[in-house]
Amino acid sequence: MSQSTQLSNDPLMQPFQLKHLTLKNRLMSTAHEPAYSEDGMPKDRYRLYHVEKAKGGMALTMTAGSAIVSRDSPPAFGNLHAYSDEIVPWMRRLTDDCHEHGAAVMIQLTHLGRRTGWNKGDWLPVLSASPVREAAHRSFPKEIEDWDIERIVRDYADAAARMQEAGLDGIEFEAYGHLMDAFWSPATNQRDDDYGGCLENRLRFTRRVLDAVRASVGRDFIIGMRMVADEDWSKGLSRQEGVEIAHRLVQSGQIDFLNIIRGHIDSDASLTNVIPIQGMAASPHLDFAGEVRAATQFPVFHAARIADVATARHAIAEGKLDMVGMTRAHIADPHIVSKILDGRESQIRPCVGATYCLDRIYEGGGALCIHNAATGREATIPHIIARTTGPKRRAVVVGAGPAGLEAARVLAERGHDVTVLEASGQAGGQILLAVRNPRRRELIGIVDWRLAELERLSVPIHYNVFAETTDVLAFNPDLIVIATGGIAQNPPLEAGDDLVTSSWDIIAGAIKPEGPVLLYDDNGAHTGMTAAELIAATGAELEIVTPERMFAPEIGGMNHVPYARAFAKPDVRVTINTRLVSVRRDGNGLVATLGSDYADTRMERRVAQVVVEHGTLPMADLYLDLKPNSRNLGAVHYDALLSQQSPLPVRNPDGVYDVIRIGDAIASRNIHAGIYDAVRYGLLL
């Protein structure tokens, strides 16, 4: 069968007619807030992020998650300010640029209700249907009053008109966890007036908004509803009532599509059930969304960890959805459609479910993919690496962890002659440790994708070479990239350095947990928590001790959840604000002395094992050996790097090669940092 025949039969590549709008295929990015806005506006960084997905062939990109319609909906996630006329030209430019590539553009509008904080934005009081606090954002909302309802309804209509003026193809309203559905849910609506009680009353605010918006934008403008149709909560909106709401919205004739959500999001734990992370079920709500489509006979969109093309194709082929949201998947690779069309489906960079993207958003940073450093940096880093127009270099990359593999990939894409040396018999570096936790095994996709790319690019990897200077120089390189990573190090102790066990040894299985275990983690990232989770899984008594205000502060709220679940058992104890001072042997056991930064006190714990996590120490010997004979003497001109100029100064004219370090070979950081190092250096060398 020819490729054109295959594509003509591919359910994902079939157009979808939504009212007057023809969507060229069935793939979309659902609304999310990447926190790239500036002053509440979708300026260049925001625009280029969406344009890249349009370039990649996506049919529909849904902006904002969500754009706020009122000033008393303080921006919790860098939200766009849909209440301001200033947004119109910015949205018009974004829309026009996406349209040039054949992608439709819509925006999600909302009033966040209680899902925000009063001490953000203009410090106006947070409100909701009833004064029911949301755990995640901790604000105590006031009960919405009649004058609030009147002005917010007007605000919705005005915001919709701005988007129509900007040339967008449509809008959708957010109704899960925000103000609109706060009226729907028994968990959040305790009113006894015309907006509470029976279902029709609880829908009154929504109907007023829809009526006002239709009066503002007319019948032809596309309007959808991203709605919770089952809160999966004993005190919340039932499946029966949720589907009935969907029926009533369809019958109103005021909307053109449904975007279905299942679950509630008032806490980190419940949020991960709506938006699952690695180790959780893939596409858990797809069948439910299909049931709503069957019940309503109406266009249905849906996204919830649909990370692979096969599942998306199944969703369309089986009639479960009309449009498939592959949102995190497009953060990992915005060119999914173009790769399908080019017969390069196997080259799609996989979403590995790490949810580094969303955790950064919820912690107040911009969305970044754990292993695609170009996402959100489209102004400076291309998603498609162009071949160099300068001289070809002979490069040796030492280390086949994520940073080294990425450096080799980028340099090879640019046309350089690249060789990789790896000390062990397997590529992956610290990722091989991370995937010892069964829940995180998808991270191996970071390695597997790069190995496949290096094979395509004919880059050799020499395994079991613990490289010394002579090994490297035997390849006559003029560029050496040191990606040797780091080794586990102990925290500073007054005594007992030789009595503690590394978290790496526990994870690798080199040392078995012996309870009771005290695990001391002053790094606060995944490694210590992975060791703790594996210890807890054995049933050993465990105390996690940290000097921080909370355990694992380097892990975001969504990734915090599975660790917290693993530690929510009687034989696991978490102790904060406490430092490990020393360890001594006492008979067959150990005594750990603990102290505090807040008081001059000491306490002791008698345990069988003390496990420590204090990040890594760079493996720098090879770099230090190579540095004196290099042209740049290891130096990097940071101003040049950041302005995208050649970053390696000539400090030793007699040198015959340049040498740089990346990733943990410089300092203990994370996967994204190492990959970012590799890309931004690789593009300039």
Side-chain angles (χ1 to χ4, degrees), residues 432-444:
L432 299 180
L433 279 178
V435 299
R436 300 277 299 196
N437 183 338
R439 186 176 57 74
R440 303 190 73 212
R441 63 182 179 270
E442 291 169 74
L443 288 175
I444 202 64

Side-chain angles (χ1 to χ4, degrees), residues 614-637:
H614 186 66
T616 60
L617 188 67
M619 294 183 67
D621 290 350
L622 178 61
Y623 166 76
L624 294 174
D625 286 344
L626 290 165
K627 176 180 171 180
N629 293 317
S630 66
R631 277 188 294 265
N632 64 319
L633 297 178
V636 176
H637 193 310

Side-chain angles (χ1 to χ4, degrees), residues 240-253:
Q240 180 180 356
E241 278 200 323
V243 174
E244 176 60 24
I245 290 173
H247 270 297
R248 295 190 187 192
L249 290 174
V250 170
Q251 291 166 359
S252 74

